[in-house]
Amino acid sequence: MMTSLVALDLETTGTDPTRDAIIEIGVVRFNGPRVEETWSTLVNPGRPIPPAITQLTGINDLMVRDAPPIHAVLPRLESFVGDSVVVGHNIGFDLGFLRRQRALTLVEAVDTYELAAILMPSASRYNLGSLGQLLGIPLPNSHRALDDARLTHAVYHRLYEKALSLPIEIVQELVGLSESLDWMGYWFFSEVLRQRAREGIQARQVPRPSRGWFQTADSEWMARPLELRTPAPVALDIDEAAALLEPGGVFSQYMSGFEYRSEQVAMLRAVAQALSEGYHLLVEAGTGTGKSFAYLIPAALWAWKNGRRVVISTNTITLQEQLIKKDIPDLLAALGLEIRATVMKGRGNYLCPRRLEALRQRGPQSVEELRILGKILVWLWEGGSGDRNEITLHGPVEREVWQRLSAEDEECKAETCLKRTGGACPFYRSRQAALASHLVVVNHALLLADVVAGNRVIPDYEALIVDEAHHLEEATTNALSYRVTREDLARMLRELGGTSSGILGHLLVQLRGILRPSDFAAVNREMQVLTDLAFQVEQGLVQFFNALEMFLEYEREGQPVGMYGQQVRLLPANRHQPAWEAVELAWGAVHERLVALLARSEQLTRALGEVLGLTPEELEDALGTLNGVLRRLNEADHYLTTLVSQPDPAYVYWVETTGSNISRVALQIAPIHIGTLMEKYLWNEKRSVVLTSATLTTQGNFDYLRSRLNAYTADELALDSPFDYQNSTLLYVVNDIPEPNGGGDYQRKVEQTLVRLAKATGGRMLVLFTSYAQLRRTSEAITARLLEADIQVYEQGEGASSNLLLESFRESERAVLLGTRAFWEGVDIPGEALSVLVIVRLPFDVPSDPIVAARAETFDDPFNEYQLPEAILRFRQGFGRLIRTQTDRGAVVILDRRVITKGYGKAFLDSLPQCTMRIASMQELPAAVVRWLNL
């Protein structure tokens, strides 16, 4: 590389160029791997530096007090950069601050985020520090400007080397497709192409979509479906199955460190009997039971012996991957069985080769489309299978682009795939593998939604095991819900387009060379009618959403939208208000035009079929895309018509808006009760259904779960954890803190207690909140005080992902992690990294939440029959974050004294295993925890 470039990084007081200020600048001029010159300076921002920024960067007010102001350093910066290309990570952020100061307004920019998103398609994270680690760069990500500019240079150089190894056809395609877009990767890939041309490297051709794209063995596509071994299922020898886990059994010989657990054997026996005799079963197995092998062993043996499929459903990808990549392979190796197992996902998780090729031919219309296309091309060249979980997608726009490239098209059939791609479609390969498998792993969201839709994805099965079953209701509710925003509808209409845009415009261009002139003229006239109707729908939607905003304003009595937005559940009372009548009128006008648009579009596609006879291959994709858009518009029309004027009593409907400056109204629909669906499609249809989790009971019984899922006919088994909580866990209930409704006094005491406790233990603490608002208030109050004691505070929020926060917390010797809903479960931090768990408040749902309110109305005693059991289940999940292994030791602190002052409090405490319990004051807490942890 002969050109000198400049890597740039800024540190600022915040993220908004209009309100925040620069506090440090760092630049590095480089040529290839060689650094030619560096420069950095602190900048006086003319305002206090927020504590969170000081914690992140180490830059404080004292350090910048005598630094020059921004206008004094910009000439030096511009002189250093000159006419060089500027490289930065998310460089648009840095240039936004500088251009606000009228600096570097005309420079060519390259964003290393854009490069990494394409060249490292499977990277779990794309922040600068993570890329440095993934690329093996031994430089710190200190959040100081010069250090980060050095790291940016090193990341850029490694990415350049990666790009040089790509097939030249991919580089050419990226350059060609990005010429018309304002993309901060264009200069980079153009430079790579020039370098490759200078070197005269001959790269292998990049295959067009075909069997060569997807590295799945032909044997999976061609595997024969599972065949029944017996006319009726044959029972297992339960003693023989249990012996596998007994001392001296197969597992103790195969697995090093294997421990016999009587609870695990008891669960195995119960599951084996349920599968053998054909009945349903609920199993609560405490943390440490080893429940995955307790159900996998009988499932595998029963499936193999009978030639019958067992479906295993999980809530999280983490457990799904653990089962398919570790537990099932270990099981099969130990047993020596030739059993096939696979993961089956919803159609939207798989890439469609036909749609990919259509995008390559048409060309991306946005930077996001280009980024995803480039990512996919590199991913497939590296051997990607076409499963979206192998790559990283960020934000709703990227996910929307993926959806348009996915195998979501319900009208695409196996025969089409075989004809067009030789069977290379990842979805149909996966489907074929599932048909040939004994064990099929799915997730909860797909499980019931697929059954309701008529088993379009999951092959037929008689036996089902549901792990993480406490999530089944919520996951199914989400899968069967519908949400749509103004932008969603506008995007559908943009996709549809008209005579000169969108899929209609694309179709018209293709038809010009195929149809006779007279037929083309007729189609052109019809396209014009569709264009006019689409425009009328678009204008009508403006009026509709304006009416919705007026309705929301009426509901909040003219007050501004609060920080956390507004939700209004639609009930008979507010449906009779004049403001809602205006919404009905506006939707009526949209509905009329939309029905006409859909009807005429359908007539057009039918007429084209008649005129063309056999649809030419080049039109199949365009017509498939058109039908997909029309299907989504039809779905929107159906749901919104029911929401506005034809509500179904089995569903809850609500309208919400965010608290941001840009109004974002969303309309939502959700089923109130999924138990009847469970009963109809699972309990009554399947031979054996087993539900298991560490938390299925409340107040010592399964009654609540049975009522929610209509599981009235299932047997039950509750197994305690094998862990010794009495000696490992201190349960400390603070008895002198105000109750949560005590307002500011309660909040101050929470903050004071957390600071004193964290300083005493040196961090190592997870704090669970029930509201993000309280988490934010607490973080703002304690961060600076704990930073003084060299204790980092990590908070769940809009920035870093949950996984990144957990990883940062694990790696920090002195840290406090503040989390809300996502952290009440699924957090697995064994050992001393997590020694203290604080539950700030009992985890009751917000009563005004539309789904919670609608469900509460179905009970005679909503608090005791619904809200209390839900809170207990979440409370137990939160408690379970602390002790993860036999050797863990820690303290659980409850800062909500309602557990000892309210009648229902005992139900929370009784739901926990037997711990060493202490009820005492805030003052005594730090010393008691320090003694318990032997610090």
Side-chain angles (χ1 to χ4, degrees):
M1 228 176 5
M2 302 301 293
T3 308
S4 288
L5 295 90
V6 172
L8 165 72
D9 187 75
L10 305 180
E11 303 301 333
T12 64
T13 60
T15 58
D16 186 347
T18 64
R19 295 185 304 179
D20 295 306
I22 298 168
I23 57 175
E24 189 175 36
I25 301 173
V27 281
V28 174
R29 178 177 290 109
F30 64 92
N31 192 320
R34 183 167 56 88
V35 173
E36 297 179 332
E37 186 182 359
T38 67
W39 175 73
S40 68
T41 180
L42 289 167
V43 180
N44 189 329
R47 69 196 71 186
I49 297 174
I53 299 300
T54 295
Q55 178 181 343
L56 181 69
T57 65
I59 302 172
N60 58 37
D61 292 330
L62 185 62
M63 293 168 65
V64 298
R65 186 176 63 188
D66 298 324
I70 186 66
H71 63 80
V73 302
L74 288 178
R76 175 75 177 94
L77 173 65
E78 293 198 297
S79 172
F80 187 99
V81 172
D83 58 359
S84 298
V85 173
V86 174
V87 179
H89 198 70
N90 288 313
I91 188 65
F93 171 87
D94 304 87
L95 292 178
F97 275 86
L98 292 170
R99 286 168 177 168
R100 179 84 179 166
Q101 303 294 329
R102 296 181 173 81
L104 304 187
T105 54
L106 299 175
V107 294
E108 178 84 46
V110 174
D111 190 343
T112 47
Y113 167 78
E114 292 287 346
L115 310 184
I118 287 175
L119 294 169
M120 301 172 67
S122 301
S124 57
R125 297 184 302 278
Y126 291 110
N127 62 70
L128 185 61
S130 298
L131 291 176
Q133 290 178 351
L134 289 168
L135 293 167
I137 298 169
L139 289 174
N141 175 216
S142 64
H143 295 289
R144 292 299 299 268
L146 187 56
D147 279 350
D148 287 359
R150 291 181 190 276
L151 183 53
T152 299
H153 159 225
V155 166
Y156 176 91
H157 183 63
R158 292 287 172 85
L159 293 174
Y160 186 81
E161 291 177 329
K162 272 183 171 289
L164 286 175
S165 70
L166 286 177
I168 197 168
E169 289 80 12
I170 287 183
V171 181
Q172 287 173 327
E173 186 166 353
L174 286 171
V175 172
L177 293 174
S178 61
E179 281 179 338
S180 61
L181 297 172
D182 184 16
W183 180 49
M184 291 186 185
Y186 176 74
W187 184 92
F188 173 88
F189 282 102
S190 298
E191 180 65 21
V192 170
L193 191 58
R194 284 191 289 271
Q195 181 69 11
R196 293 293 295 277
R198 283 195 292 267
E199 294 173 2
I201 295 174
Q202 294 300 311
R204 60 191 172 94
Q205 292 286 318
V206 182
R208 306 307 287 180
S210 68
R211 304 184 76 173
W213 270 125
F214 306 104
Q215 309 301 310
T216 309
D218 284 344
S219 58
E220 283 194 27
W221 178 247
M222 304 304 292
R224 297 177 63 183
L226 210 58
E227 293 181 359
L228 295 179
R229 289 181 176 231
T230 56
V234 175
L236 294 175
D237 183 325
I238 295 174
D239 290 336
E240 188 178 285
L244 297 170
L245 293 177
E246 297 283 356
V250 169
F251 270 70
S252 66
Q253 297 168 27
Y254 178 79
M255 293 184 170
S256 60
F258 177 80
E259 294 178 1
Y260 167 73
R261 285 166 280 191
S262 59
E263 297 87 356
Q264 187 179 43
V265 174
M267 179 174 172
L268 180 149
R269 286 179 170 276
V271 174
Q273 192 165 346
L275 291 173
S276 294
E277 298 181 16
Y279 61 82
H280 306 316
L281 177 67
L282 311 176
V283 185
E284 179 174 277
T287 305
T289 300
K291 64 179 182 298
S292 60
F293 280 119
Y295 62 70
L296 283 175
I297 291 172
L301 291 173
W302 187 85
W304 179 76
K305 190 169 187 175
N306 290 289
R308 283 171 162 79
R309 191 174 294 108
V310 178
V311 169
I312 299 167
S313 182
T314 75
N315 185 59
T316 60
I317 292 174
T318 304
L319 178 56
Q320 197 173 75
E321 292 188 344
Q322 177 191 314
L323 293 177
I324 204 71
K325 292 181 179 178
K326 184 178 184 301
D327 292 350
I328 293 175
D330 284 350
L331 167 71
L332 301 185
L335 299 183
L337 293 178
E338 291 187 12
I339 284 180
R340 293 186 295 274
T342 192
V343 171
M344 191 72 225
K345 301 173 182 177
R347 298 183 67 117
N349 287 281
Y350 300 99
L351 179 67
C352 173
R354 294 188 301 112
R355 287 177 156 189
L356 172 64
E357 177 65 1
L359 176 61
R360 295 175 78 186
Q361 296 292 347
R362 171 175 61 83
Q365 306 298 302
S366 67
V367 166
E368 289 79 16
E369 275 195 344
L370 176 65
R371 186 188 307 131
I372 298 303
L373 176 57
K375 183 190 291 279
I376 289 171
L377 292 177
V378 173
W379 169 49
L380 296 177
W381 172 68
E382 291 177 346
S385 71
D387 179 343
R388 67 152 282 180
N389 286 316
E390 294 176 2
I391 61 172
T392 303
L393 301 175
H394 281 301
V397 179
E398 287 196 1
R399 287 191 285 272
E400 174 71 25
V401 174
W402 171 270
Q403 184 186 34
R404 295 200 295 271
L405 294 173
S406 75
E408 196 70 68
D409 184 2
E410 296 282 359
E411 296 179 24
C412 180
K413 300 293 184 284
E415 298 76 23
T416 308
C417 268
L418 282 167
K419 182 179 74 173
R420 296 284 300 279
T421 71
C425 172
F427 169 72
Y428 278 106
R429 281 182 173 269
S430 182
R431 168 82 176 177
Q432 196 69 20
L435 284 167
S437 292
H438 299 84
L439 302 178
V440 178
V441 182
V442 303
N443 65 29
H444 295 351
L446 174 63
L447 178 67
L448 208 54
D450 186 59
V451 176
V452 172
N455 293 102
R456 295 179 183 175
V457 175
I458 307 171
D460 289 341
Y461 58 95
E462 296 179 41
L464 168 68
I465 295 171
V466 180
D467 200 346
E468 300 178 315
H470 62 284
H471 272 302
L472 188 56
E473 181 178 32
E474 181 183 25
T476 304
T477 299
N478 291 338
L480 298 178
S481 296
Y482 183 77
R483 182 180 191 273
V484 70
T485 65
R486 181 201 303 248
E487 181 53 35
D488 292 333
L489 294 166
R491 195 181 298 121
M492 290 181 216
L493 290 172
R494 281 198 301 273
E495 279 186 64
L496 183 66
T499 51
S500 58
S501 66
I503 189 59
L504 289 178
H506 180 62
L507 188 61
L508 199 58
V509 169
Q510 289 191 312
L511 288 168
R512 184 183 294 275
I514 297 173
L515 296 177
R516 292 183 310 224
S518 58
D519 289 334
F520 179 78
V523 169
N524 195 20
R525 285 193 297 274
E526 188 60 27
M527 287 280 197
Q528 188 59 59
V529 173
L530 294 179
T531 303
D532 293 343
L533 283 170
F535 178 75
Q536 291 169 28
V537 170
E538 187 177 9
Q539 294 302 301
L541 285 171
V542 171
Q543 301 302 316
F544 173 61
F545 278 95
N546 286 343
L548 282 169
E549 288 180 14
M550 294 295 290
F551 168 73
L552 290 169
E553 185 178 349
Y554 176 84
E555 286 289 316
R556 61 179 185 267
E557 298 179 337
Q559 296 298 311
V561 179
M563 185 184 300
Y564 301 102
Q566 176 190 12
Q567 282 186 330
V568 177
R569 183 180 164 205
L570 299 176
L571 297 164
N574 53 25
R575 286 180 181 278
H576 287 101
Q577 292 168 357
W580 186 255
E581 289 174 5
V583 172
E584 289 181 331
L585 284 171
W587 176 251
V590 174
H591 173 65
E592 183 182 336
R593 292 286 178 267
L594 191 51
V595 167
L597 173 64
L598 291 167
R600 294 196 73 138
S601 298
E602 192 177 324
Q603 289 170 11
L604 174 64
T605 56
R606 272 204 311 269
L608 283 173
E610 291 170 6
V611 170
L612 296 167
L614 187 64
T615 306
E617 193 171 288
E618 62 267 27
L619 282 183
E620 278 187 9
D621 292 315
L623 288 172
T625 302
L626 174 61
N627 286 329
V629 175
L630 294 176
R631 187 172 59 252
R632 281 188 285 139
L633 282 168
N634 191 54
E635 181 183 52
D637 178 64
H638 166 73
Y639 278 115
L640 289 179
T641 299
T642 62
L643 180 144
V644 172
S645 56
Q646 299 171 17
D648 182 334
Y651 287 79
V652 57
Y653 303 86
W654 71 99
V655 186
E656 65 181 29
T657 187
T658 62
S660 59
N661 293 330
I662 302 172
S663 179
R664 186 174 171 82
V665 174
L667 299 114
Q668 304 216 125
I669 303 170
I672 295 174
H673 191 41
I674 68 154
T676 50
L677 297 175
M678 286 283 297
E679 189 170 13
K680 179 179 179 181
Y681 294 109
L682 295 181
W683 304 125
N684 292 347
E685 289 293 320
K686 304 304 175 187
R687 186 173 187 276
S688 180
V689 177
V690 177
L691 269 54
T692 186
S693 166
T695 51
L696 292 182
T697 64
T698 58
Q699 297 176 275
N701 61 64
F702 291 87
D703 294 352
Y704 177 68
L705 182 81
R706 290 183 185 279
S707 70
R708 298 310 304 155
L709 302 180
N710 287 24
Y712 300 114
T713 61
D715 278 22
E716 63 185 50
L717 174 67
L719 298 165
D720 292 333
S721 167
F723 294 162
D724 180 6
Y725 286 97
Q726 185 76 49
N727 289 305
S728 68
T729 309
L730 171 67
L731 179 62
Y732 192 108
V733 181
V734 175
N735 62 5
D736 60 348
I737 193 168
E739 291 195 2
N741 57 8
D745 192 29
Y746 164 73
Q747 178 61 21
R748 281 190 297 275
K749 296 297 185 187
V750 167
E751 294 160 7
Q752 291 167 11
T753 302
L754 292 177
V755 169
R756 291 179 62 242
L757 181 58
K759 286 182 176 180
T761 61
R764 303 194 297 174
M765 187 162 80
L766 170 63
V767 187
L768 296 177
F769 294 84
T770 58
S771 86
Y772 183 62
Q774 187 184 13
L775 183 153
R776 288 288 301 128
R777 286 197 302 272
T778 305
S779 178
E780 289 168 4
I782 72 173
T783 295
R785 284 184 271 176
L786 290 181
L787 191 58
E788 292 169 359
D790 194 30
I791 296 172
Q792 297 283 334
V793 176
Y794 297 104
E795 64 171 276
Q796 181 183 355
E798 296 176 358
S801 68
S802 298
N803 287 337
L804 179 58
L805 284 172
L806 287 172
E807 194 170 308
S808 300
F809 177 72
R810 278 192 199 97
E811 293 172 354
S812 302
E813 289 186 13
R814 296 168 63 83
V816 173
L817 175 58
L818 312 180
T820 55
R821 181 110 188 220
F823 286 87
W824 281 80
E825 56 185 280
V827 174
D828 192 356
I829 308 176
E832 293 184 357
L834 175 57
S835 299
V836 184
L837 174 75
V838 180
I839 294 177
V840 174
R841 192 169 181 162
L842 296 177
F844 287 105
D845 282 319
V846 179
S848 60
D849 177 273
I851 296 177
V852 173
R855 286 178 175 164
E857 289 168 4
T858 66
F859 293 90
D860 294 330
D861 182 359
F863 180 79
N864 286 304
E865 294 175 17
Y866 174 54
Q867 289 158 328
L868 180 60
E870 281 288 326
I872 289 172
L873 287 173
R874 198 167 298 125
F875 179 75
R876 294 181 64 203
Q877 282 288 332
F879 173 88
R881 297 314 94 213
L882 184 66
I883 304 299
R884 306 302 298 171
T885 69
Q886 289 277 16
T887 57
D888 282 355
R889 183 176 178 85
V892 176
V893 178
I894 301 175
L895 298 183
D896 189 337
R897 67 188 180 102
R898 289 179 296 176
V899 293
I900 53 175
T901 63
K902 300 295 185 185
Y904 57 77
K906 187 172 182 295
F908 284 93
L909 297 177
D910 288 348
S911 73
L912 301 179
Q914 193 68 42
C915 305
T916 294
M917 183 170 171
R918 184 167 178 197
I919 301 173
S921 67
M922 290 180 285
Q923 184 66 33
E924 298 170 80
L925 171 63
V929 172
V930 167
R931 279 196 304 274
W932 182 261
L933 298 176
N934 298 316
L935 297 176

